Amino acid sequence: MFKRSTILVLAFVLVLSTAGAFDGYGPDHKNFKLQAQVFSVVHQFWTVNELFYQVSLNHTPALEEQYLQASGLYEKQCLDMGKQLLNGLESRSRELLEVLSEIYKSFDPISRMALYPSIGYLRVALLQEHRAPLTDQEFKEYFPGYGYGEPGFKYRKGRELEREPKGSTWQQEEQSITTTWNVELVVTLDILNILAGMATSGAIKDLQVGPQQTMEVNGQPMIVVKVTFTRVKAITTKTNRKFEVNKIWFELLRAKVSGWSTGPWETCGKTYEIINEPTGEDVVIGISAQKTTK
């Protein structure tokens, strides 16, 4: 009991200290994409914690659903990275392991918890499935202090303190753009049958048919109807989008928690993320039309 209490006190002292010196990889570094993957998991961890805080202020079904969805995404990201870690080790690659370890070691003990699920997946595989791509001693060297926390508290990011620019990068993205036309026509019964078939297939939607009328066209009587419908067209663009890469420091806040309720929030240190932020500079380099959607 005394040993556990000592560990928890030490963890709290470390929270109050400045995080370790991980400068971050610039866009030209070979591990830049792995860094972005790790910080995507970290960012989602803080998103989940922030939504928990929002729910504690105003517990509505909509907010709780957002929290559950964010938690589900975080769990998936952690599982995917844990599997990638293990697969890399089994193929004798420690690249992701070393990037993850460097970032993990730079964090205070609280921020490290964002990476616990991914590390835990690797740990369970090593212990229960008797795989040996990493020894127990190596695991402890890569992830010192893994598994310890301070129960009864929740943490979240506070205000931004400072940012350090790390360069810029261009990333290619695909985006679907949908355009809708509202159409009103007077058509013959033959054309009405064609439109009805298009509505059934999904080529058009919301087909509305007015009463039949008789009108003369070039001196010949003809039965017509007024119709309205909606046509939806989608195109996909490939865009090169510019991002600024910034290392951003935030206050680290904590509060006691009981169920969905939290006590007063207090500053207990600081944490950081390396974030790729869009600059608004975009160049479309490809475009293709999709089939009309329902």
Side-chain angles (χ1 to χ4, degrees), residues 156-207:
R156 64 185 183 93
K157 294 186 303 183
R159 63 187 178 91
E160 180 180 323
L161 299 174
E162 60 179 311
R163 57 176 56 206
E164 306 166 26
K166 298 298 177 183
S168 62
T169 182
W170 290 84
Q171 298 178 18
Q172 190 174 116
E173 298 181 358
E174 285 195 358
Q175 181 181 17
S176 180
I177 301 172
T178 301
T179 305
T180 302
W181 293 275
N182 295 317
V183 182
E184 180 178 304
L185 300 172
V186 175
V187 302
T188 64
L189 296 183
D190 289 343
I191 298 300
L192 177 60
N193 289 335
I194 295 173
L195 290 174
M198 293 175 68
T200 301
S201 68
I204 63 175
K205 64 179 184 177
D206 299 331
L207 177 62

Side-chain angles (χ1 to χ4, degrees), residues 89-107:
L89 287 172
E90 291 181 333
S91 61
R92 298 186 178 181
S93 170
R94 296 196 174 190
E95 197 168 37
L96 177 56
L97 176 71
E98 289 170 354
V99 171
L100 182 63
S101 173
E102 189 172 6
I103 295 171
Y104 172 89
K105 289 177 180 177
S106 75
F107 280 151

Side-chain angles (χ1 to χ4, degrees), residues 242-290:
K242 188 177 182 181
F243 290 82
E244 292 288 349
V245 183
N246 291 296
K247 182 177 183 180
I248 306 177
W249 289 90
F250 300 91
E251 286 180 332
L252 183 60
L253 308 177
R254 76 167 191 163
K256 289 185 177 180
V257 62
S258 176
W260 287 106
S261 300
T262 57
W265 291 87
E266 60 182 8
T267 303
C268 62
K270 65 180 183 177
T271 188
Y272 77 93
E273 290 185 63
I274 296 178
I275 300 175
N276 301 347
E277 299 178 303
T279 65
E281 298 176 70
D282 303 338
V283 178
V284 176
I285 59 171
I287 189 167
S288 60
Q290 300 177 359

Side-chain angles (χ1 to χ4, degrees), residues 108-126:
D108 60 84
I110 300 307
S111 301
R112 288 178 178 180
M113 294 193 301
L115 302 172
Y116 274 9
S118 296
I119 300 169
Y121 178 90
L122 174 64
R123 186 62 168 166
V124 169
L126 296 175

